[in-house]
Amino acid sequence: MSHARFIIKMIRIGLLSDTHHYLDPKIGDYFSGCDEIWHAGDFGTIALANSLQKIAPVRGVYGNIDGQDIRQVFPLTLRFELEGMKFLMTHIGGNPGRYALPIRREVEENTPDVFICGHSHILKIVRDKQNHNMLYLNPGAAGKQGFQLYRTIVRFEINSGKLQNMEVITLGERA
């Protein structure tokens, strides 16, 4: 009698946004075991994106401060599937109930399982009950620019179509 073996692949993700030219050295430690790094815009420099790429492959979108060098590599909006889940990422996304106009129709008419954005510099992880219980993720700001009190990043796992072990990591005060 043979027993079938199923290998379940868990994928570890490091999520950040709004680095604005500054890559905290601790990010390398926090994301070192990640399979991918996702950046929700406002990298600041292509050199910063390249530094992240040395830690793990990077998926990302450009933000409003990003120049042509970044815009040639990363799109405005990124839609993808991974481990049975549908993701949508953009930089300026708004908030549940008040999505930014350019993305609102896409969120409402083709709702992903997870919507990721940055821009506000405000960490927010919440279910949008009006849009099929979609998970809204904004990792806050990892850089020193802006008005946020603390710099934050997020780490989580995707396992068999579910997000698990979500961690909010505070890098320290903004200044």
Side-chain angles (χ1 to χ4, degrees), residues 16 23 27-29 31-38 43 46-59 74:
L16 73 165
L23 185 61
I27 289 173
D29 294 334
F31 288 174
S32 67
C34 291
D35 298 296
E36 293 186 8
I37 296 172
W38 298 353
F43 287 88
I46 198 70
L48 189 141
N50 292 339
S51 292
L52 288 172
Q53 195 83 335
K54 291 175 184 172
I55 302 166
V58 175
R59 289 186 203 241
F74 298 100

Side-chain angles (χ1 to χ4, degrees), residues 75-151:
L76 172 64
T77 302
L78 183 61
R79 187 178 279 276
F80 59 98
E81 289 190 33
L82 190 61
E83 292 299 303
M85 297 189 75
K86 296 177 182 174
F87 295 88
L88 175 63
M89 184 187 316
T90 196
H91 181 60
I92 301 176
N95 282 292
R98 298 189 64 182
Y99 292 109
L101 287 176
I103 199 75
R104 181 182 300 163
R105 178 173 284 152
E106 194 163 350
V107 167
E108 293 172 353
E109 292 179 2
N110 191 6
T111 306
D113 298 309
V114 181
F115 177 59
I116 299 166
C117 63
H119 187 64
S120 72
H121 292 222
I122 299 169
L123 170 73
K124 188 171 200 169
I125 301 170
V126 66
R127 289 273 176 197
D128 182 348
K129 306 229 183 272
Q130 294 178 342
N131 283 294
H132 310 286
N133 211 30
M134 172 187 76
L135 183 62
Y136 172 94
L137 286 177
N138 185 324
K144 292 183 174 183
Q145 304 258 333
F147 56 88
Q148 74 277 6
L149 296 176
Y150 296 96
R151 296 176 294 108

Side-chain angles (χ1 to χ4, degrees), residues 83 85 157-164:
E83 292 299 303
M85 297 189 75
E157 297 167 352
I158 304 170
N159 192 352
S160 302
K162 294 181 182 171
L163 264 62
Q164 299 176 330

